[in-house]
Structure formats: structure tokens, C-alpha cells
Amino acid sequence: RSEALRLAVLPFRNMKQDPETDFLGFSLADVVITKLNYVKKLTVRSSAQVEKYRNQTIDPQQVAKELDVGLLLTGNFVKEGDNLRLTAQLLDVARNEILWGDTMDLKYDKLITVQDEVTAHVIQGLQLNLSPAEKQNLALDTPANPLAYEYFLRGVDLYSRNDFATAINMLEKTVNLDPNYALAWAHLGRTYNAQASFALEGSDAYDKAFKAYEKALQLNPQEVEPRIYMANTYTDTGRVNQAVPLLKETLEAHPNLAEAHWELGYAYRFGGMLEESIAECEAARRLDPKVKIYSSAINAYLYKGEYAKFLQSLPTTDTIAYIVFYRGFGNYYLKNWSTAAADFDHAYQLAPSLYSQVGAALSKSIAGHKDQGLALVRDLEGKIQQRNVRDAEGVYKVAQAYAILGDKASALRMLRRSIDGGFVCYQYFASDPLLESLHNEPEFTQLLELTRTKHEEFKHQFFPGR
């Protein structure tokens, strides 16, 4: 058992038609996944990857093949009044063997014991010998308040459904009732960050995110989640130089952690190291093919001009605005105008955001309505300025939209804001066809040189000798 065992923890099935308790299925699986990620001999599939199996009857052989795992943890639950019955089993799919199975009958207010009990049984069923550090990590960060834990589980479920505002409400209730629960602080920070990035909440939400991460790490310095989430927020807010060391340190302790590889790839592309970014993101997807699948993309393909490869790397969903926008963006680069416009319009209908509003403006440009497109971009810039939105990669797209729509002065202004915000992807800046209208502007030459200098500083710091 020297090679890491590949395990998927599937959402528990609700055996009762009860929307009020459905949240338990996904969120209980999520907390067990979080616990098992501390075990180095296991590679555990992410919650995002198993989410599609919510409340489904599954064929273990088929699911194991889809997820590329040899082990499945499955289960179901039913809540009757104050009583909860949870049945779980651990399957070795290749051998068609049940390694462990049990039914737990407990009072609902004892829900907080489930994650530890299931985790312990999985370790026992696999006959894993844990190091002292692993045992210590598993013992840390236990919830203390039953009602707070229910709010936490609801918040985790709501986040997975992209309902960030309601998730924040639930997670704030959690930490008010149980202020020493580090994992709740980590998830609260992640949700603040999502609200900042996708809903244009800006600097206040980012500040709240950092405070939540710091609180989580103060309570549990070994916890992985706040480290990864904090690194993501560092990159988002122009502090990529702090993101990279944090992620490298995390990967030294957890080399099979797909999300840490992904975030490192994200940081590298901000610094303009596109080959290295692709390598990290591809490593992440090998470990977990669905890591960050709906909330991020391998933009380094796009920035290197590999447009078809970029489109192939996107999931096929038509319901996630972020992905639909990027599908439109890839098609825009390929000059598939009608397809791009349809994608942009659909993304904007799904969820107005920084990205989808850029797409809507580009769609207006395709249709020949430049004035309407400019009005959309100017409205967006106003929100960015007013709320101090720090998504430098998103701001770069605002600059692109201005350049395409013919407002060179605004394009150059937003380009400078993007560079100041830490997005210094020099190769992309220099070759991006969407900025072609700016190439004869003296200020563009100055900005390009500034980007090159900052990119070289990043490369020298993290890739000396290249």
C-alpha cells in the first residue's frame, strides 16, 4: 500500500422525500472528505467531483470507473423527528468486497459525532497505520455546538449551489455560536471571497475573508482548507508573492492535494509563467479531474493562444455563467462570432457579474451596437471603482472590452489597474490580439515594459536561473 489509495466519498442519499434535510447528504460527505484529506496514504476525490451523485441510485462499478477510484464510501440517511439513522459502507470495487459497513442510530443533536466516527471506520477498514501527526490533525477541530454544526452543514451545501449570500448568513451564525470551530471560519472566508469575486462585493468582502482565514489558522495551524483558500485570495488581491510560498509549503505536506496544485497554477499564470501554470493545473486535474471545474479554468491555454485546447478543457455545462462566459470568450478568439455572442448573452442571463457583463458588452460589439457595449463597460468600471474590486485578471478583461469598443484611454487606464493589481502575464499582454488597437499608443509601450519588469521579478524570485 505504498501508492496512495484512491477513494471517493459519495453524497449520502436521503431515504425520505424531505427537502428540509436534503442538505445533509452533500455536506456530511464534504466534512468526511475534509477529514480524510489529512491521511497521506489516501487520495480523496473532491466534493465538486462527487456532487453530481446527489440523491442518485448508483452502480458502484460505473461510478468507480468515472471517478478513477478503487474505493467508494457510500451511504444513506433518514431523519424522523429527533432521530437520525445513517447507514454507510466502504467498498473495494475491484474486489467487489465490503471492507466496512455499519448503521448508526443517534439523536439529531449528536450529528457532530458522525464525521469522526465514519472517518475512523474508513481508516480501520483500510488497515491504515497513521503517523502521530496524522492522528493529531484528525483529532483537531471538532465542532462543539449542535445547532452551529447544522448551520455549518447548511452553509457548505448552499456554497456548493453558488448561493453565496445565504451561505454567508449560515456560516456567520455558525461562528457566532461556535467561535472555536476552525473549519467554519475557513469556509466563511472562502464564501466571502466568492462573493467578492463573482458578485462584485469588493474590498470589504476580501477583508472579511482574510480575517476569517487568519482566525481559522490561529485555531488550527495545520488545517489545509484555510491555507488553500487564503492563497487563492492572495492571488485575487494582487499578493501572488505571498500565495506561492504558502502553496508550496502546503504541497510539501500534502503532495496529492489537487486543489493546492490548481491554486499554484493560478498564481503562476498571474506571474506570467504559463508553461508552469499549465503543468500545475494539469497535475491537479490528473489527481482530481473535477477540481475547480465550475469555478475556474485553465486560462493559460487561452493566454498562449491554444484556443481549441482551452475550449476542450471546459466542462459542457450550460448552467454556470462563469463557464458559459469563457466558452464564449474562447469562441471570440476563434472569431466564431455568432457562437460567442450566444454564449455571452446566455452567461449574462444566468448571472450578471464582472465576467458576464464584459461578455454582454462584447456581444453588443458583435451586433454592431458599440454605444450599448460601451455603456455596459462604463457601468462595470463604475462598480469596480466604487467597490474597490481587486480581481486583476477580471479588470484586464474590462481593458480588452474597452480596446475592442474603441475607447483607448479607458483601456489603458484599466490595463494599468490590472498590472498594479498583480496580473503581470507578459506573454499574453504582448501577443493578445484583443489589444491590437493599443499597440501604437506610447502609453501601451510603457505598460508593456512595466509588465515585463514585474514578470521578470516574479520569475527571478520563484524560478531563479530561468
Side-chain angles (χ1 to χ4, degrees):
R1 291 195 189 276
S2 56
E3 186 181 339
L5 300 168
R6 297 189 305 278
L7 166 69
V9 180
L10 301 188
F12 294 95
R13 285 187 66 209
N14 194 351
M15 301 304 289
K16 185 180 176 184
Q17 291 281 318
D18 182 9
E20 179 58 24
T21 56
D22 276 347
F23 73 94
L24 289 168
F26 175 81
S27 53
L28 280 174
D30 180 82
V31 291
V32 172
I33 290 167
T34 298
K35 281 279 185 184
L36 290 172
N37 270 329
Y38 284 115
V39 181
K40 289 185 181 178
K41 290 176 183 173
L42 291 174
T43 296
V44 189
R45 293 293 178 248
S46 68
S47 299
Q49 192 168 358
V50 301
E51 185 182 0
K52 66 178 181 178
Y53 302 106
R54 287 177 191 258
N55 281 330
Q56 287 187 22
T57 305
I58 59 114
D59 173 355
Q61 297 288 340
Q62 181 185 339
V63 170
K65 185 177 179 182
E66 288 174 3
L67 297 175
D68 187 25
V69 296
L71 300 163
L72 285 179
L73 180 66
T74 65
N76 56 62
F77 69 94
V78 63
K79 181 175 181 281
E80 299 282 3
D82 292 333
N83 297 312
L84 181 73
R85 168 168 284 196
L86 188 138
T87 301
Q89 60 180 15
L90 179 64
L91 303 172
D92 184 324
V93 181
R95 297 179 185 173
N96 197 24
E97 179 184 348
I98 297 174
L99 301 178
W100 164 75
D102 197 9
T103 297
M104 288 168 259
D105 288 300
L106 61 151
K107 291 294 182 186
Y108 187 65
D109 63 5
K110 299 296 182 187
L111 187 63
I112 55 179
T113 65
V114 169
Q115 61 180 35
D116 290 331
E117 195 164 337
V118 172
T119 301
H121 281 301
V122 170
I123 292 164
Q124 188 179 342
L126 294 173
Q127 299 176 6
L128 299 176
N129 293 316
L130 301 185
S131 69
E134 286 171 316
K135 288 178 183 175
Q136 183 181 1
N137 287 338
L138 285 168
L140 286 169
D141 201 25
T142 301
N145 182 299
L147 181 57
Y149 189 59
E150 178 180 325
Y151 289 145
F152 169 73
L153 294 176
R154 288 184 184 277
V156 168
D157 183 72
L158 287 160
Y159 180 93
S160 76
R161 300 177 190 274
N162 293 325
D163 186 351
F164 304 129
T166 318
I168 285 171
N169 180 258
M170 286 294 161
L171 292 166
E172 285 179 341
K173 286 182 177 181
T174 303
V175 297
N176 284 336
L177 286 170
D178 190 356
N180 294 321
Y181 188 25
L183 188 60
W185 285 105
H187 278 271
L188 180 57
R190 174 177 68 158
T191 313
Y192 283 139
N193 186 53
Q195 191 77 341
S197 299
F198 299 129
L200 289 171
E201 289 289 330
S203 58
D204 285 351
Y206 284 127
D207 292 343
K208 287 179 180 178
F210 276 116
K211 286 175 183 171
Y213 301 143
E214 286 160 6
K215 181 69 174 176
L217 288 170
Q218 177 190 336
L219 291 165
N220 183 359
Q222 302 307 315
E223 195 157 69
V224 170
E225 281 70 18
R227 291 167 168 269
I228 294 173
Y229 304 157
M230 181 181 266
N232 175 274
T233 310
Y234 274 143
T235 303
D236 278 350
T237 55
R239 287 180 269 182
V240 70
N241 290 9
Q242 288 170 265
V244 172
L246 186 60
L247 289 163
K248 286 187 170 182
E249 182 184 288
T250 303
L251 282 166
E252 279 179 23
H254 306 276
N256 293 319
L257 205 57
E259 199 167 348
H261 283 285
W262 184 271
E263 293 299 343
L264 188 56
Y266 180 46
Y268 283 164
R269 87 169 180 248
F270 260 62
M273 305 302 294
L274 295 181
E275 292 290 349
E276 292 77 7
S277 174
I278 288 169
E280 288 296 335
C281 289
E282 287 180 345
R285 288 271 161 93
R286 281 194 299 274
L287 287 164
D288 179 352
K290 293 293 179 72
V291 65
K292 304 277 284 194
I293 194 75
Y294 296 123
S295 61
S296 196
I298 307 182
N299 286 11
Y301 289 146
L302 190 71
Y303 300 167
K304 285 191 72 203
E306 298 176 7
Y307 307 133
K309 195 168 186 179
F310 173 74
L311 286 171
Q312 288 166 9
S313 73
L314 294 174
T316 56
T317 179
D318 285 321
T319 60
I320 306 294
Y322 182 85
I323 299 301
V324 177
F325 161 78
Y326 266 116
R327 191 175 301 128
F329 206 50
N331 277 303
Y332 191 91
Y333 271 100
L334 288 168
K335 301 183 179 179
N336 298 330
W337 307 122
S338 60
T339 306
D343 285 332
F344 288 148
D345 291 341
H346 183 43
Y348 191 63
Q349 287 163 4
L350 285 168
S353 70
L354 188 159
Y355 292 86
S356 62
Q357 196 159 331
V358 166
L362 294 179
S363 177
K364 295 294 184 189
S365 172
I366 291 168
H369 304 306
K370 286 198 171 185
D371 287 347
Q372 293 176 30
L374 275 170
L376 279 167
V377 183
R378 285 171 182 152
D379 172 72
L380 181 56
E381 184 185 356
K383 292 174 186 171
I384 289 169
Q385 300 282 11
Q386 180 186 355
R387 302 174 191 177
N388 194 20
V389 173
R390 303 183 210 171
D391 179 356
E393 193 173 33
V395 168
Y396 180 90
K397 289 174 175 58
V398 178
Q400 290 172 310
Y402 270 132
I404 290 161
L405 290 161
D407 186 343
K408 294 182 183 180
S410 295
L412 292 164
R413 181 174 64 250
M414 295 308 279
L415 262 185
R416 183 174 292 279
R417 184 182 177 103
S418 174
I419 297 162
D420 290 344
F423 186 62
V424 293
C425 192
Y426 174 70
Q427 182 181 339
Y428 185 38
F429 274 63
S431 62
D432 185 1
L434 306 192
L435 298 182
E436 214 167 278
S437 66
L438 305 178
H439 285 184
N440 293 327
E441 300 294 317
E443 189 180 349
F444 179 78
T445 305
Q446 294 168 11
L447 291 176
L448 193 62
E449 179 59 24
L450 177 63
T451 306
R452 189 191 67 77
T453 301
K454 288 177 176 284
H455 161 68
E456 290 294 335
E457 287 170 358
F458 180 87
K459 183 164 71 170
H460 179 72
Q461 182 175 356
F462 296 111
F463 299 93
R466 290 208 189 171

